[in-house]
Amino acid sequence: RWMPSFTRTEQVNLSVTPYYHCISRCVRRSFLCGTDAYSGKNYDHRKGWFVERLRLAAEGFCIDVCAFAIMSNHFHVVLRIDAERGAGLSDNAVLLRYGKFFPLAAKAVRELPASVAADRIGVFRERLTDLGWFMRVINEHVSRRANKEDECTGRFWEGRFKSQALLDDAAVYTCMSYVDLNPVRAGLADSLEGAEFTSIQQRLREAAGRKSGGRRRGGKKPAPGGKPVPKPVPLAPLRGEGRGGARTSLELRFEDYVAQLEWTGRALGRKSGGTLRGAPPAMLNAMKVDADAWLRAMRGAGLARLTLFGAPASIAAEAERRGRRWLHGKGAARSMFRRAG
């Protein structure tokens, strides 16, 4: 049986990369956020819970959301940990942010002597840039809420979330694409606009709002299909999205990202039979990615099984840093980036 070539302390290392792809799956991979085949009950409304909680987590933690997809039995997020922002928070700001999720703990610290309180605030500050705590406030909240609705106890998630280190920009953009295309890959949507509960749908809606002279807002107003649109999650902006005041900006151009998602989606669609249509988009050429290997990765689940991902040079550098000759994922990188020098 294959064993991962990493330890937990190695897996999240901000000196290597601040970017991570995280996945959580429902227990037994049951459709606890979709239509349950056994009972026939529909739990699609729970996807809105995820979006609401993800928005609150993104507002409270010093962690940026690059992409997300909420599916019926699992969800994906691509995150960037902003340790610099966390270090720059005042003590009061730390307590206000932490208190959004743990009000009793934050209140108790305010009543402690200053010397003791400083240590506790230091712990809270670290947690606001901790991947595990970010995922905890989402998963625990949804689990408790679902169990209350079902009037039951027990596990909602199959285990601790899986995290994948993204070693370079190419890895970040590849995983963002993989995440945003989840509904298309699963046959649940035939367009990016129809890919519900994904970051690309939100980005496109916001772009349409900017073109029409006003941003579309989520909340109580129902969407055309009759479902309420959750308030948007604060997303790390792509170049060209025009979000003033945003701290983190991805160098990827919004137009290029949409173009390559549409090209990939057409190749993944049933009508196209998985065949290529037209030349590969500029984004793939810029990353020196092999188009056939890209589509194989977008079609399957192999990419999500890796514990880290990046171009061959990035993986070789990480292997050297860890004092190892080989890391799992090297073969996949060579296949996809075989055009890279």
Side-chain angles (χ1 to χ4, degrees), residues 164-202:
Q164 177 185 49
L166 306 177
L167 302 180
D168 49 39
D169 287 347
V172 174
Y173 304 150
T174 299
C175 277
M176 285 176 60
S177 302
Y178 182 86
V179 168
D180 274 328
L181 287 168
N182 257 261
V184 176
R185 179 169 51 252
L188 301 176
D190 56 9
S191 68
L192 300 181
E193 292 83 357
E196 293 191 328
F197 302 101
T198 62
S199 48
I200 187 58
Q201 185 189 58
Q202 179 181 313

Side-chain angles (χ1 to χ4, degrees), residues 177 181 184 190-193 200 204 254-269 272 275 277 281 294-295:
S177 302
L181 287 168
V184 176
D190 56 9
S191 68
L192 300 181
E193 292 83 357
I200 187 58
L204 290 170
F254 176 65
E255 294 82 0
D256 292 340
Y257 185 59
V258 173
Q260 68 84 16
L261 284 183
E262 290 178 340
W263 179 85
T264 306
R266 287 194 297 271
L268 297 180
S272 68
T275 58
R277 289 190 177 183
W294 168 272
L295 289 177

Side-chain angles (χ1 to χ4, degrees), residues 39-60:
S39 66
K41 291 183 178 180
N42 185 280
Y43 300 106
D44 277 345
H45 61 280
R46 292 177 179 174
K47 295 178 183 179
W49 300 353
F50 279 98
V51 176
E52 292 172 3
R53 197 63 175 176
L54 182 59
R55 174 180 60 81
L56 290 175
E59 292 173 349

